[in-house]
Amino acid sequence: MSTTPLEFPEGFLWGAATAAYQIEGAAHEDGRQDSIWDAFARKPGAVADAHNGEVACDHYHRSAQDVALMGELNLSAYRFSTSWARCMPDGGTPNPDGIRFYSRLVDELLAAGITPWLTLYHWDLPQALEDEGGWANRETAERFADYAAVMHEALGGRVRIWTTLNEPWCSAFLGYAEGVHAPGRTEPAAALAAAHHLLLGHGLATQRLRARDPEAKLGITLNLNVFDPVDPADEGDRDAARRLDGQFNRIFLDPLFRGEYPADLLADVSHLGLADVIRAGDLEVIAEPIDLLGVNYYHGEAVTKSPPTATAQPSPFVAADGAHSVPRGLPVTGMGWEVQPDGLRRLLNRVQQEYTGPAGIPIYITENGAAYEDVPDADGFVDDQDRLTFFDAHLRALHAAVADGVDVRGYLAWSLMDNFEWAYGYHQRFGLVRVDYESQQRIPKASGRWYAGVAAQNALPPAP
């Protein structure tokens, strides 16, 4: 048994992350209008128990309290998203009252010594733009670049780290192919068009921000996964892993870092029109150099091949051809996701070797966390040892990746507090801090107290 703490590199950034629609509430205050998530959450059966983000964690009215809470947790960075529907409700016209909220938030963070890390898009497209075709419409990418410029005009002098998109895979494929996320469409061709236009929007916004502020740190956040063939010797299982890796990981990584889509992916989806939406010069825009890559990691998957008829319902994997994941006996979270910390180490080594390393781009873990069934005691405290163990195991895997030579410079836990968990409503809790949705009281959990100690020491305690 080791008695030595695992120290992280000097200057390693410790923080937590949230998203606007999941915590802010105030859905129709100060000029904010519907996002696609407001509209989607009102559809019968779209969200568990018909919940929505009308109130959420009431962060819009409690931001000062929440920033103080971040200080108690020893966070040095806070990754938040700005709501496009709050700042430009019709998708194109600035709303000073909405923008002012984020200006106050940034000032509160800076006063507390916490680095503001701004994400421009965490899934809350103005419904007005969805009514014009959403991300399947090329013009949305142009509008996104305009939005980026408006936000930089307001906040650029104080915000130095900018993420364009959070998890474009979810926006494109859960929203436009499987229909379980907003806007709830089940159109595979539109999903591929959305994926391309999201990437194009990222490139256009990066160009616009770079021109305005050459010293800003610009990046994108991708949710990445590890797909292992159930039987590496089986040709079908290997093809399953290739197909899912292509449509989940490489569909974004290759254009961003190599200026091209994977040839095998283009062949897999040749019948769905992706090639038709790619115009001359698009890939050069998408490959605009970035300063950092955000990686969100939650779990890996073991995958196999089955007859195409096995998937009767819409699937986000439009290139799957019967590929699907199967359980392999690992522990699972409350959402049924496998707990696979070793996958994080393997993923980071691969990403650096194949993508970020040759470009000299550092990696940040911008989301990692787990939902479990939290049971508060009489005082509202949650002794969430399962989540604490999850964080500990993944941070040890991250430390091992750093020891392998991977240039990882920070870790932002998901999430700062319990919140509206998209289609799951409020039943799945990811927070370091418990939120009592009736009283809006915030109480740090055992995992939050533990994480505060890790952040303060820049080190993991010795392994038990």
Side-chain angles (χ1 to χ4, degrees), residues 84-96 99 143 150:
W84 194 348
R86 191 180 299 283
C87 298
M88 302 177 77
D90 63 1
T93 307
N95 172 29
I99 295 171
R143 299 281 189 90
V150 166

Side-chain angles (χ1 to χ4, degrees), residues 254-280:
D254 280 30
L256 288 165
F257 291 97
R258 298 174 180 169
E260 62 185 9
Y261 284 103
D264 62 317
L265 170 74
L266 291 174
D268 290 342
V269 300
S270 60
H271 60 298
L272 292 173
L274 174 58
D276 297 333
V277 303
I278 304 171
R279 297 185 186 177

Side-chain angles (χ1 to χ4, degrees), residues 183-202:
R185 293 163 62 176
T186 54
E187 307 164 40
L192 287 166
H196 179 69
H197 296 147
L198 282 155
L199 282 170
L200 181 63
H202 155 78

Side-chain angles (χ1 to χ4, degrees), residues 28-50:
H28 296 99
E29 291 187 34
D30 296 332
R32 186 186 181 280
Q33 297 179 20
D34 272 359
S35 74
I36 54 175
W37 268 97
D38 294 280
F40 181 72
R42 289 197 293 265
K43 295 179 180 179
V47 175
D49 291 344

Side-chain angles (χ1 to χ4, degrees), residues 20 42 75 121 185-186 191 205 208 243 251 253 258 281 333 357 405:
R42 289 197 293 265
L75 303 187
Y121 187 72
R185 293 163 62 176
T186 54
R208 192 79 67 88
R243 285 176 175 273
I251 189 174
L253 287 166
R258 298 174 180 169
T333 69

Side-chain angles (χ1 to χ4, degrees), residues 105-164:
L105 174 61
V106 168
D107 284 346
E108 289 163 354
L109 290 167
L110 292 173
I114 298 169
T115 298
W117 182 317
L118 191 154
T119 298
L120 285 164
Y121 187 72
H122 200 133
W123 307 354
D124 49 359
L125 184 73
Q127 181 60 35
L129 292 184
E130 178 57 32
D131 292 342
E132 298 175 8
W135 284 109
N137 180 356
R138 184 182 179 90
E139 290 185 9
T140 301
E142 300 281 354
R143 299 281 189 90
F144 180 67
D146 294 339
Y147 162 55
V150 166
M151 297 311 297
H152 188 272
E153 178 69 24
L155 305 175
R158 291 168 287 163
V159 175
R160 311 308 300 144
I161 307 177
W162 296 75
T163 290
T164 53

Side-chain angles (χ1 to χ4, degrees), residues 238-390:
R238 292 198 307 273
D239 186 61
R242 178 195 65 78
R243 285 176 175 273
L244 300 192
D245 178 65
Q247 198 200 310
F248 199 97
N249 297 324
R250 292 182 289 118
I251 189 174
F252 298 107
L253 287 166
D254 280 30
L256 288 165
F257 291 97
R258 298 174 180 169
E260 62 185 9
Y261 284 103
D264 62 317
L265 170 74
L266 291 174
D268 290 342
V269 300
S270 60
H271 60 298
L272 292 173
L274 174 58
D276 297 333
V277 303
I278 304 171
R279 297 185 186 177
D282 281 3
L283 287 163
E284 288 80 5
V285 173
I286 291 168
E288 182 74 18
I290 56 178
D291 303 299
L292 58 93
L293 175 67
V295 172
N296 294 354
Y297 175 82
Y298 288 94
H299 61 94
E301 296 182 42
V303 298
T304 188
K305 200 76 174 284
S306 63
T309 54
T311 305
Q313 300 298 318
S315 168
F317 287 103
V318 299
D321 190 29
H324 65 284
S325 61
V326 295
R328 50 186 154 185
L330 294 174
V332 297
T333 69
M335 296 177 74
W337 295 350
E338 290 187 343
V339 178
Q340 192 194 7
D342 180 65
L344 176 59
R345 180 181 184 179
R346 291 192 288 133
L347 172 67
L348 292 172
N349 273 278
R350 177 199 177 185
V351 169
Q352 175 159 292
Q353 179 180 355
E354 298 183 17
Y355 296 101
T356 61
I361 295 172
I363 298 170
Y364 289 81
I365 303 302
T366 40
E367 289 183 27
N368 178 238
Y372 289 102
E373 184 177 354
D374 291 345
V375 180
D377 64 18
D379 297 320
F381 175 71
V382 175
D383 187 18
D384 58 336
Q385 293 298 315
D386 40 15
R387 184 176 293 106
L388 191 160
T389 299
F390 179 98

